[in-house]
Amino acid sequence: MTEPPPRPLQGRGTLCAVHQPNLFPRLSTLAKLYAADCWVVLDDVQFARRDFQHRARLAELGDPSRQQWLTLAAHLPSGRRSRIDEARIVNPVLSRKRMRLLLRQYYGRSPYWSTLDAVITPVLELLVVSNRTSVIAEASTRMLLDSLGWHGSFVRSSAYAARVGRSERLADLARAVGADTYLCGTGGARYLRSDPFDDYGIDVTLHRTPTCGEAWARAREISSLWALATFGPQHLARLLQGRPAV
């Protein structure tokens, strides 16, 4: 699998989310991106080893309290100052083998394994041709979104000029993609200032992750692969759309 070009933007009037590329992201992250019309992949900020940019917490089917990290060992050429798009996978061949074994071990018994396999296999194939953690993490997220019928667009922040301040950067990126609303997660709400968005006439909307229901109980903790393997794509898509399961 070669890296596909960015999808074209949908034009003005879009709801935009900005988030780092995460490896098989948590359901809370996936829900925010799914709600957006455009995902700006924040790939040109500092890499954080304790974040989810190169790792995912897997949970067992039937017992999500039993968990294990899936980690892509990363080399940072500029040390702690390295950007996300600069991080490189230390041993792509070994990482590919370990990822395949762990994911099959955790989710191979799922009745929805064919759907998961269609998500996982392209990511494994991409490890053969790219050693960039950002590329692999972004692809894993896009494959999950595609499996759930997301029809949004995506671009990378590294393609745009933006100011350094956190709120200013986000406002600049939202403006660059023609969004009229910025979708803010609960983490970002702790530091986000609205005035840079007000200057551009861009609204800020808070995205809240649901808390009721089995699928959402560990939404901020474990990879959304568990929810996909447990509930299947149709059920999970309905939950992300805020519709009752049938």
Side-chain angles (χ1 to χ4, degrees):
M1 174 183 176
T2 58
E3 183 181 353
R7 298 173 180 172
L9 293 178
Q10 296 176 340
R12 293 203 63 85
T14 60
L15 194 156
C16 160
V18 182
H19 204 279
Q20 301 96 330
N22 283 185
L23 182 65
F24 297 117
R26 298 164 294 164
L27 190 58
S28 57
T29 298
L30 198 69
K32 183 181 77 168
L33 300 181
Y34 191 91
D37 300 306
C38 176
W39 171 30
V40 180
V41 184
L42 191 61
D43 65 344
D44 59 349
V45 295
Q46 186 175 357
F47 183 92
R49 285 195 180 274
R50 293 184 179 275
D51 209 332
F52 294 88
Q53 296 148 17
H54 67 129
R55 60 181 189 164
R57 193 189 294 271
L58 305 181
E60 285 191 6
L61 288 173
D63 186 2
S65 66
R66 296 176 62 87
Q67 301 171 5
Q68 180 176 351
W69 283 108
L70 168 62
T71 303
L72 297 175
H75 167 65
L76 305 181
S78 301
R80 296 179 61 182
R81 294 175 298 172
S82 299
R83 304 190 323 181
I84 291 173
D85 58 356
E86 295 174 331
R88 297 294 185 265
I89 299 170
V90 173
N91 191 329
V93 174
L94 181 61
S95 294
R96 182 172 183 262
K97 180 179 179 181
R98 183 169 183 265
M99 183 184 293
R100 183 193 299 276
L101 289 174
L102 270 179
L103 294 177
R104 170 72 76 165
Q105 172 188 332
Y106 271 79
Y107 305 119
R109 295 179 291 103
S110 167
Y112 307 105
W113 171 250
S114 61
T115 298
L116 271 78
D117 192 38
V119 169
I120 294 165
T121 295
V123 180
L124 293 172
E125 292 175 349
L126 193 54
L127 272 164
V128 177
V129 297
S130 178
N131 69 344
R132 294 171 58 195
T133 60
S134 61
V135 170
I136 303 305
E138 178 194 303
S140 73
T141 303
R142 287 193 288 104
M143 294 305 299
L144 279 166
L145 288 168
D146 288 347
S147 74
L148 298 169
W150 186 66
H151 299 296
S153 57
F154 73 93
V155 296
R156 301 179 185 100
S157 61
S158 54
Y160 298 92
R163 288 171 287 177
V164 176
R166 289 194 290 185
S167 297
E168 289 81 1
R169 177 193 295 272
L170 296 174
D172 289 350
L173 292 172
R175 185 192 191 196
V177 301
D180 60 5
T181 302
Y182 172 70
L183 189 61
C184 178
T186 53
R190 291 194 290 267
Y191 66 81
L192 194 73
R193 294 178 14 250
S194 63
D195 51 295
F197 296 88
D198 294 338
D199 292 342
Y200 293 145
I202 298 174
D203 295 329
V204 176
T205 297
L206 179 64
H207 179 269
R208 295 185 183 276
T209 303
T211 57
C212 297
E214 184 183 2
W216 302 106
R218 298 177 183 269
R220 299 182 182 280
E221 181 181 344
I222 60 177
S223 169
S224 51
L225 286 173
W226 177 86
L228 183 59
T230 301
F231 302 103
Q234 293 183 348
H235 185 141
L236 187 55
R238 293 181 70 88
L239 292 177
L240 292 174
Q241 293 162 10
R243 299 160 60 193
V246 295

